[in-house]
Amino acid sequence: MPTPLVPNPPASGNEPLVLCPGPRPLEKPLAAMRAAARAAARATALAAEERQALWDILHNKSIHSVLQPIISLRDGSIFGFEALGRGPAGSPLEGPEALINAALRHGRMLELEHLFRYSALRAARQIATGIRLFLNVNPNIMQDPHFGVGFTKEYLTRFALSAEDMVFEITERESVDNLRGFKKIIEHYKAQNYQISIDDAGAGYSGLNLISDVQPHFIKLDMRLIRGVDKDLTRQALIKSMQEFASLTNTRIIAEGIETEEEMATLISFDVPYGQGYFIQRPALHPQPITEQVVRFIHRENKIKNRFFGARVHKFHVRHIIRPGFTIPPSLPVIEAAERFEHDDSLQGLCVVDEGKPVGTIMRHRLHRQLSGRFGFSLFAGKTVASVMDRGFLSVDHQTTIDVVSRHAMRRENNQIYDFVTVTRDNKYVGIVTVRELLEKSIELEVANARQLNPLSELPGNALIDIELERLVRLCLDKSVLYFDIDNFKAYNDKYGFKNGDRVLKRLASIISESTPKGDFVGHIGGDDFIAVTDRFKAEKVCQDIIDAFAQGVSAYYNAEDFQNGYIEGKNRNQQEERFPLMSLTIVGVTATSFQSSFDLARAAASLKKRCKQLAGNNYMFDDCEDAPAAEASKE
C-alpha cells in the first residue's frame, strides 16, 4: 500500500497547505544492503591487508622470540624459559595471538610454527645448560612430517640443546584431527626423552580428555584460573584438586599468569611447584636473573608453609598456635575480675601473672559458682583474686609438642578438662591455648599429611620428596639418594590387572621400608618409582637386601606357566606382540653432596637409571663420584 502524503498543519489559517512525502517503501532495505556491502568490502580489504602482512612476515622471517622464566616456587631458582614468538614491533601482528589467529585464517600455520620454532631455538642459545625450553606446539602440526625434521638430534646440536632440555607445550586452539596418530607421535617423542606439557589447562572444554590421552609431564594452569585465586574459594578448590591429581600421577603443575604477591602466596601455600607471570618477570629478549625481592618473598612464604607442612602432632610445637590471652595481677580485686567477665561474653578465663610468671588461673564458670552462693558475694567481694584463683592449673613449655599437651590436658579432673593451658618460655608467661585449638590443629595436621601420602603405599608423595631433596642439597648432607624402578612392570600390569599390580607395589614399598634403617626417608614418586635416603656407607647393603627380598618374592605374582617360561607375552607401546621378561628391580644411588640443586640430582639419577636398566635382571648402580661408593650387582 503506498505511503500517504502527510499534511504539514499550518501555523495559522492564512498559510497555504504544503504536502511532505513520507519515506519511500524500499529506502530502508536498500540502505542496509549498501551498509552491508561497504562492511563486506572493508572486511575483504582488511583480510587482504592481513594476508599480505602475514606473507611479508613469513617471507622476511620477521619473527623473534622473547623468553619468560618459569621458576621454582620453593626456592626461586629458574627451572625453564617459555619461548614466546613475536611479530614486527608496532604492527597489528606483533602479538602471538594475532599472529596465530591470522595464520589459522589464511592456512599458513605450518610455516608460522616453523618460524616460531627456529626463532625459539636461536633464543635458547642464551640459556644455561640444564634449563628447560618450553615450546608452544599445535597438536595437528606435530603430526606433519616436516615437524620432526626440526627436532632431530643433529639439528638440536646446532643450538647446543638436547632432547632432555625440550618441553613441548600442547595447545588446544583447535581440535585434534587424528587422535590416534597424535598419541602415537607423543609416545615417539617421549621415548626420545622429550617432555610434554598441556598448556592453558582449565581453559578448554576438552582439557581433561587431552590430559588423559597425553599423560603429560607438566600441566600449565590457565591464567584465568590463577587470577584472584587468593580471594576465590572455587578457584582455590580447583587448584588444590589439580595439585592432588598431579601428585598421584607424577605430573608437575605450573601456574601461569601470576601477577600479585597474594596470588603467589596462595599458590605456594597449596604447594604448586612452579610458576611464571609478570609478578616474577616479564618476557624479555635476553634471559634475566630473578630479582632478589621475588626470591626473598618465595623463601619467606615457604618458611611459613613449611612451619606446618609435613609436621606431625608428635613434632609440632605448641608455640605455633598460642595466643596472648588476658592476664591480671594477683592483687586485682575479685569484683573487678567479675566485671571483666560481665563485660566480655567471649572471655572464658584469665591468667594470673606475677612478675611475668603465671601463678594461677580464674575461669568464668568457677568464679560465678563461687560468687553465686548464699554468702559468696559478700565473702569474696573485698578480697583479691589470689584468694580464689586455681593454683593447680596446667602449664607447659612453648617447645612441648601438641600431642603431649593434649594428653596432659585430657588427664585433668573433669571440672578442669576444658580449662585453657598456660604456655611459658623460661618459666615466663607467653600465652594460652585451648583444648579446642589443640584438637583442631591435631586434626588439621593429620589430614594435611594424609593428603601428601601416596594413597596406595601410604608413603610420602612428591611434595614431601621435593622438600626432603631440597633439604639434603641445601644442607650438603652426606647421604645417598636411592631411586627404585620395577623393570617390565607395565607388561605385568597389562596382563595381570591393576589389582595384582597394586599388590606388587605395596610389597615393594614394605620391602624398602623394612630394609632401610629406622629414621631414613622413604617416598613413593608414583607408579613403580620409589625413593629412599640413607647413609652413604650403608647404601650398598641396603640395595642388596632390597634386591634379595624382591627377587625372592617375584614367583608369587605369576602363574606357574609364566614363571617357568621366564617371560610373559603382551603388546608393546606400538601394539605389537612381544615377550617380556619377569619383573626385576633397578636401583641407582646418587650422592647428595655432589649437586647444587635437587633438579640436578634428579637429572643425574635419571641418566644413571637409563644406564642401569640396560642390564638384565636385578641391578643396582652408584654414581661415579670419587668419594662415593661405586658398585654394581646383578642377580638373576
PDB file of all heavy atoms in Angstrom, residues 244-256:
ATOM      1  N   GLU A 244      46.503 -32.189  43.741  1.00  0.00           N
ATOM      2  CA  GLU A 244      46.372 -33.538  44.289  1.00  0.00           C
ATOM      3  C   GLU A 244      46.419 -34.572  43.162  1.00  0.00           C
ATOM      4  O   GLU A 244      47.062 -35.614  43.286  1.00  0.00           O
ATOM      5  CB  GLU A 244      45.053 -33.657  45.055  1.00  0.00           C
ATOM      6  CG  GLU A 244      44.931 -34.928  45.873  1.00  0.00           C
ATOM      7  CD  GLU A 244      43.764 -34.883  46.848  1.00  0.00           C
ATOM      8  OE1 GLU A 244      43.248 -33.787  47.124  1.00  0.00           O
ATOM      9  OE2 GLU A 244      43.378 -35.956  47.323  1.00  0.00           O
ATOM     10  N   PHE A 245      45.743 -34.256  42.038  1.00  0.00           N
ATOM     11  CA  PHE A 245      45.787 -35.138  40.870  1.00  0.00           C
ATOM     12  C   PHE A 245      47.230 -35.283  40.374  1.00  0.00           C
ATOM     13  O   PHE A 245      47.689 -36.384  40.061  1.00  0.00           O
ATOM     14  CB  PHE A 245      44.903 -34.570  39.757  1.00  0.00           C
ATOM     15  CG  PHE A 245      45.137 -35.178  38.399  1.00  0.00           C
ATOM     16  CD1 PHE A 245      44.553 -36.391  38.075  1.00  0.00           C
ATOM     17  CD2 PHE A 245      45.938 -34.551  37.463  1.00  0.00           C
ATOM     18  CE1 PHE A 245      44.768 -36.970  36.832  1.00  0.00           C
ATOM     19  CE2 PHE A 245      46.160 -35.116  36.221  1.00  0.00           C
ATOM     20  CZ  PHE A 245      45.575 -36.325  35.898  1.00  0.00           C
ATOM     21  N   ALA A 246      47.957 -34.160  40.320  1.00  0.00           N
ATOM     22  CA  ALA A 246      49.336 -34.180  39.830  1.00  0.00           C
ATOM     23  C   ALA A 246      50.230 -35.045  40.713  1.00  0.00           C
ATOM     24  O   ALA A 246      51.082 -35.791  40.215  1.00  0.00           O
ATOM     25  CB  ALA A 246      49.881 -32.757  39.758  1.00  0.00           C
ATOM     26  N   SER A 247      50.032 -34.958  42.024  1.00  0.00           N
ATOM     27  CA  SER A 247      50.872 -35.736  42.937  1.00  0.00           C
ATOM     28  C   SER A 247      50.618 -37.237  42.782  1.00  0.00           C
ATOM     29  O   SER A 247      51.526 -38.045  42.981  1.00  0.00           O
ATOM     30  CB  SER A 247      50.624 -35.303  44.385  1.00  0.00           C
ATOM     31  OG  SER A 247      49.316 -35.637  44.793  1.00  0.00           O
ATOM     32  N   LEU A 248      49.392 -37.606  42.409  1.00  0.00           N
ATOM     33  CA  LEU A 248      49.056 -39.015  42.229  1.00  0.00           C
ATOM     34  C   LEU A 248      49.550 -39.563  40.901  1.00  0.00           C
ATOM     35  O   LEU A 248      49.747 -40.771  40.754  1.00  0.00           O
ATOM     36  CB  LEU A 248      47.541 -39.220  42.331  1.00  0.00           C
ATOM     37  CG  LEU A 248      46.905 -38.952  43.696  1.00  0.00           C
ATOM     38  CD1 LEU A 248      45.393 -39.064  43.606  1.00  0.00           C
ATOM     39  CD2 LEU A 248      47.447 -39.913  44.742  1.00  0.00           C
ATOM     40  N   THR A 249      49.741 -38.695  39.905  1.00  0.00           N
ATOM     41  CA  THR A 249      50.111 -39.138  38.557  1.00  0.00           C
ATOM     42  C   THR A 249      51.536 -38.763  38.181  1.00  0.00           C
ATOM     43  O   THR A 249      51.921 -38.880  37.020  1.00  0.00           O
ATOM     44  CB  THR A 249      49.142 -38.532  37.514  1.00  0.00           C
ATOM     45  OG1 THR A 249      49.156 -37.095  37.634  1.00  0.00           O
ATOM     46  CG2 THR A 249      47.735 -39.047  37.719  1.00  0.00           C
ATOM     47  N   ASN A 250      52.325 -38.306  39.153  1.00  0.00           N
ATOM     48  CA  ASN A 250      53.712 -37.935  38.900  1.00  0.00           C
ATOM     49  C   ASN A 250      53.817 -36.852  37.824  1.00  0.00           C
ATOM     50  O   ASN A 250      54.658 -36.899  36.929  1.00  0.00           O
ATOM     51  CB  ASN A 250      54.536 -39.160  38.498  1.00  0.00           C
ATOM     52  CG  ASN A 250      56.031 -38.921  38.664  1.00  0.00           C
ATOM     53  OD1 ASN A 250      56.450 -38.048  39.438  1.00  0.00           O
ATOM     54  ND2 ASN A 250      56.835 -39.670  37.941  1.00  0.00           N
ATOM     55  N   THR A 251      52.907 -35.883  37.900  1.00  0.00           N
ATOM     56  CA  THR A 251      52.879 -34.746  36.982  1.00  0.00           C
ATOM     57  C   THR A 251      53.188 -33.481  37.781  1.00  0.00           C
ATOM     58  O   THR A 251      52.919 -33.425  38.974  1.00  0.00           O
ATOM     59  CB  THR A 251      51.483 -34.613  36.336  1.00  0.00           C
ATOM     60  OG1 THR A 251      51.123 -35.876  35.780  1.00  0.00           O
ATOM     61  CG2 THR A 251      51.457 -33.562  35.245  1.00  0.00           C
ATOM     62  N   ARG A 252      53.777 -32.469  37.127  1.00  0.00           N
ATOM     63  CA  ARG A 252      54.101 -31.231  37.827  1.00  0.00           C
ATOM     64  C   ARG A 252      53.206 -30.094  37.318  1.00  0.00           C
ATOM     65  O   ARG A 252      52.982 -29.961  36.112  1.00  0.00           O
ATOM     66  CB  ARG A 252      55.570 -30.852  37.624  1.00  0.00           C
ATOM     67  CG  ARG A 252      56.541 -31.923  38.135  1.00  0.00           C
ATOM     68  CD  ARG A 252      56.326 -32.196  39.614  1.00  0.00           C
ATOM     69  NE  ARG A 252      57.085 -33.323  40.098  1.00  0.00           N
ATOM     70  CZ  ARG A 252      58.296 -33.230  40.639  1.00  0.00           C
ATOM     71  NH1 ARG A 252      58.879 -32.051  40.747  1.00  0.00           N
ATOM     72  NH2 ARG A 252      58.923 -34.299  41.066  1.00  0.00           N
ATOM     73  N   ILE A 253      52.717 -29.291  38.270  1.00  0.00           N
ATOM     74  CA  ILE A 253      51.844 -28.169  37.942  1.00  0.00           C
ATOM     75  C   ILE A 253      52.684 -26.897  37.768  1.00  0.00           C
ATOM     76  O   ILE A 253      53.591 -26.629  38.550  1.00  0.00           O
ATOM     77  CB  ILE A 253      50.800 -27.938  39.053  1.00  0.00           C
ATOM     78  CG1 ILE A 253      49.870 -29.143  39.177  1.00  0.00           C
ATOM     79  CG2 ILE A 253      49.990 -26.669  38.798  1.00  0.00           C
ATOM     80  CD1 ILE A 253      48.936 -29.339  38.009  1.00  0.00           C
ATOM     81  N   ILE A 254      52.356 -26.127  36.731  1.00  0.00           N
ATOM     82  CA  ILE A 254      52.953 -24.803  36.517  1.00  0.00           C
ATOM     83  C   ILE A 254      51.813 -23.786  36.474  1.00  0.00           C
ATOM     84  O   ILE A 254      50.876 -23.931  35.687  1.00  0.00           O
ATOM     85  CB  ILE A 254      53.752 -24.743  35.201  1.00  0.00           C
ATOM     86  CG1 ILE A 254      54.878 -25.780  35.201  1.00  0.00           C
ATOM     87  CG2 ILE A 254      54.323 -23.336  34.977  1.00  0.00           C
ATOM     88  CD1 ILE A 254      55.600 -25.900  33.869  1.00  0.00           C
ATOM     89  N   ALA A 255      51.881 -22.786  37.342  1.00  0.00           N
ATOM     90  CA  ALA A 255      50.842 -21.746  37.378  1.00  0.00           C
ATOM     91  C   ALA A 255      51.264 -20.593  36.481  1.00  0.00           C
ATOM     92  O   ALA A 255      52.310 -19.983  36.693  1.00  0.00           O
ATOM     93  CB  ALA A 255      50.636 -21.255  38.811  1.00  0.00           C
ATOM     94  N   GLU A 256      50.444 -20.297  35.469  1.00  0.00           N
ATOM     95  CA  GLU A 256      50.735 -19.205  34.538  1.00  0.00           C
ATOM     96  C   GLU A 256      50.052 -17.916  34.985  1.00  0.00           C
ATOM     97  O   GLU A 256      49.003 -17.947  35.630  1.00  0.00           O
ATOM     98  CB  GLU A 256      50.218 -19.562  33.142  1.00  0.00           C
ATOM     99  CG  GLU A 256      51.053 -20.544  32.382  1.00  0.00           C
ATOM    100  CD  GLU A 256      50.618 -20.627  30.930  1.00  0.00           C
ATOM    101  OE1 GLU A 256      49.478 -21.037  30.674  1.00  0.00           O
ATOM    102  OE2 GLU A 256      51.414 -20.273  30.051  1.00  0.00           O
TER     103      GLU A 256
END
